[in-house]
Amino acid sequence: ADALKTPAHRAASDARFEEDARDLHRILPASRKVYIEGSRPDIQVPMREITLDPTPVQGVSEGEWEQNPPFYVYDTSGVYTDPNVDIDLTKGLPKLREGWIAERGDTEQLSGLSSSYGLARARDISTANLRFAHIDKPRRAKAGQNVTQMHYARRGIITPEMEYIAIRETQKQHALTDMRQHDGENFGANTPTVITPEFVRSEVAAGRAIIPNNINHPESEPMIIGRNFLVKINANIGNSALGSSIDEEVSKMTWATRWGADNIMDLSTGNHIHETREWLIRNSPVPIGTVPIYQALEKVDGVAEDLTWEIFRDTLIEQAEQGVDYFTIHAGVLLDYVPMTAGRLTGIVSRGGSIMAQWCMVHQQESFLYTHFEDICEIMKAYDVAFSLGDGLRPGCLQDANDEAQFSELKTLGELTKVAWEHDVQVMVEGPGHVAMNRIKENMDLQLELCADAPFYTLGPLTTDIAPGYDHITSAIGAAMIGWFGTAMLCYVTPKEHLGLPNKKDVKDGIITYKIAAHAADLAKGHPGAQSRDNALSKARFEFRWDDQFNLALDPDTAREFHDETLPKDAHKVAHFCSMCGPKFCSMKITQNVREYAAGLDKAAADKKVTPQTGDLTDAGHLIKEVDTELVRQVGEASLDEIHKGMTEMTE
Ligand code: IRN
Ligand code: FE2
C-alpha cells in the first residue's frame, strides 16, 4: 500500500507524524507535572500544577483574594507529560499497578496465551506486520478467587487503588476554594469535604461507584466512576472499515487524555482490531472500554445470525487477557422487546443493539448475552472487568425518547445489575441518546430506582435533532443536565456525530465540550472544591492577568489565539481591556476605576475630616493616568481623554 502513495501523500503523512510526535509529550502552558505521595512510596498521584503570576495586584483584589498560589488540577495525561519518563510506544507505558496486583497473591500468570488470544493475534500480526511487546503471559484469578475491586471492598479491604483515587478526587485545597459555596440542591449529598480511602471503599462496596481496573492493564492510573465523585467523561475512538490506521488511533488516544478524557473506548470495527487494541491498552494511562460484540461479529464476517455464545465467550477472554477494563454488553435487548421498536421513527440506533435484535429475530430465541449472563460474570471476576450494561434500545431521535422499548430494557438492566453484584462484579449502566430537556430527569430518576444506584453512563443526550455538525453542543446541553441530576460518566459526542469518523480536531472539540458539561455538573452538585478553578480564573480576568486567564482555561491554546488575533503584543498581556469593548467600555476596568474612586474619596475624607466632594478624585485619577498612558500609546485606539470621559460618565 505504501508504494501506491504519491510523494504528496507521503509528505502529508510525514507532517502528521511530526505533529503527533510533538503533541505526544506536550504539557499545557505554564504547567508542571507533580505527584502527591500516599501512605506508601509506590502511591504517587499525578496532578498538573499551573504556575500563576504571584505578584498581588495592588488595590484591586483585597484580603482573602489577594494571593495567587500555584493551582492544581486533576491530570489524565499520564507519564507522557512527565519529562523524567522515557516513552517508547512499541514497549508500552510503565506498569504502575503491577506490584499491587501481584502482592495480593490471588492471581496467577498463565504460561502463555489462551488459544483464542493466540489465534487472533497470529492472524492480526500476519496481516498487520507490526512489532510490539505484548503481554505474553496474562494474569488470571487463581481458581476460586475473585479479583474485583468490589470483592475487596465488600470484605472491608482498602486497596492501594482506592487510596490513590481518594487523593486524586480531593482537589488540592486552595486559597480560593469554594469560599462562596451555596447550599443549592445537592445531588451528591453523600460527598464528604475530603474524600477518604474509606469513603471510596464504601461506595464501591455499595455498587454506587466502580473502579475499572483489569489486572492485565497495570499501566492504567486508578480512577472512579460514581455520582458522589467528580463527573467523568469518556472519549470514543477506533477505526472503521473505511478509515484510520493504528498510529492514528494511538495518537487520538494520547491526544484525548491530554485534554482530559477519563476513559477511552476503542470501538474499532475495521482491520486489525486485536492489534489496534493492544497498542492502545499498552500505551493508555486511562481505563479502556470496548464493545466485544463488534469483534465477535467480525469473526463471523459480519453475519449477525452466525454469532454463537462460544465465539462471544472466546472474544471476551481474548480481550480480558489483553487488559480491557470494561465491556459494553447489550444483554438487555430481549426477544420480546424487539417488536416494541416497530413503531419508532428511527428504530434501533445502537450498533450492538441492532446486532443482537437481528440474532434474536432470526433464531426466535432469547439473546445468548442474557441466557449466559452468569457465565459472563465468571469471566469478569477472574480479571476484574467491569460491566457497562449497553442501552441497545436507546432512542435515536427525540420522538422515540422514553418509550416502552427503552424503559423495558432499562428494567432488565436493573435486574442484571443485581445478578452481577451477587458475583461482586462491578457494573455501570448505559443511557440515552436523544432526549428533549423536559424528559431528561425522568431517565435519571428511573435509572437510580431500577438499577439500585449503580452508576449511570450516558451518551449525551442530544437535546435536539436539527444540528448535525454541532452535535457536540446539542448533546452537551443534555449531558450537563443529566450530570447534574446524577449521571456519573458522560460519553462524549463529537462534531462529526452522524456524519463521519472523528479526526484529531473533532476529538479535542468533543473533549473540551464534555469537560465543560462535566464541570458544570460538578458545580451544580456542589462537589467540594469544584468552584476553585472558576474563582482563580475569574480573579485573573478581573485583574487583567491575561496569561493566567489563558493558562487556567480548559483550552489555553484557543483562548490565547483568539485574544492574540487582535492584540498580539506582549505588552497587551497587561492591558486593562481587550478588543471586545476597547479601552473605553471595559466593564471590569470601569469597576476598578470605581473602586479607586471610592478609595480616593475615603482618603480625602480622612485627610480633611470633611464630607468628600467629587473633585477629590485626584489621587485615584493620577494612578489610572499613569497606568494607562503607556498602554493607550501602544494600542493607539483611543485618546486618554476619551477613556476618562467614558469613565467619568459611568461613575457619576
Ligand atoms: C454510552 C451510553 N450509551 C451508549 N454509550 C456508548 O455508545 C457505548 O459505551 C459505546 O461507546 C457507544 C456505542 O454503542 P452501541 O451503538 O453499540 O450501543
Ligand atoms: Fe444519534
Side-chain angles (χ1 to χ4, degrees), residues 3 83 116 165 220 244 257 291 298 366 396 399 420 560 573 610:
S116 64
I165 285 164
S220 74
S244 195
T257 52
V291 189
E298 191 255 359
E366 202 51 278
Q399 174 64 29
R560 183 181 300 273
K573 298 295 188 302
V610 295

Side-chain angles (χ1 to χ4, degrees), residues 349 394-397 433-434 459 462 465 471 497-498:
V349 294
R394 68 173 172 270
C397 62
H434 291 239
L459 186 57
L462 286 73
D465 302 337
D471 278 331
E497 182 75 8
H498 302 118

Side-chain angles (χ1 to χ4, degrees), residues 379-508:
I379 297 171
M380 306 298 254
K381 67 191 187 197
Y383 305 90
D384 197 7
V385 184
F387 275 111
S388 185
L389 292 175
D391 56 338
L393 300 179
R394 68 173 172 270
C397 62
L398 298 190
Q399 174 64 29
D400 297 342
N402 298 14
D403 70 355
E404 189 192 15
Q406 187 199 332
F407 286 157
S408 300
E409 180 189 46
L410 185 60
K411 184 162 172 281
T412 300
L413 297 183
E415 288 158 13
L416 293 174
T417 297
K418 288 160 206 162
V419 175
W421 284 350
E422 278 163 29
H423 294 264
D424 293 351
V425 171
Q426 308 191 84
V427 182
M428 60 182 167
V429 176
E430 295 189 0
H434 291 239
V435 186
M437 294 199 294
N438 56 313
R439 309 185 109 179
I440 289 179
K441 189 144 192 312
E442 187 184 357
N443 277 272
M444 189 69 235
D445 293 345
L446 205 59
Q447 190 272 343
L448 287 176
E449 182 194 322
L450 295 175
C451 306
D453 282 4
F456 206 20
Y457 161 40
T458 62
L459 186 57
L462 286 73
T463 50
T464 168
D465 302 337
I466 64 166
Y470 297 86
D471 278 331
H472 55 317
I473 297 173
T474 62
S475 66
I477 294 169
M481 286 181 69
I482 208 161
W484 174 22
F485 299 151
T487 289
M489 184 156 78
L490 308 171
C491 184
Y492 87 168
V493 171
T494 75
K496 287 280 165 63
E497 182 75 8
H498 302 118
L499 304 172
L501 197 67
N503 60 26
K504 247 176 105 170
K505 177 170 188 326
D506 304 319
V507 167
K508 179 181 166 188

Side-chain angles (χ1 to χ4, degrees), residues 15 30 36 45 75 82 96 98 100 113 177 197 266 270 348 355 405 433 439 450 471 474 490 492 506 512 517 612 636:
I36 300 172
V45 183
D75 183 9
D82 182 340
L96 159 78
E98 195 167 45
W100 306 344
L113 308 166
T177 296
D266 174 17
I348 300 175
I355 295 166
R439 309 185 109 179
L450 295 175
D471 278 331
T474 62
L490 308 171
Y492 87 168
D506 304 319
I512 300 293

Side-chain angles (χ1 to χ4, degrees), residues 217-229:
H217 189 196
E219 298 90 347
S220 74
E221 297 174 352
M223 57 80 65
I224 195 160
I225 302 168
R227 77 179 197 282
N228 294 321
F229 300 92

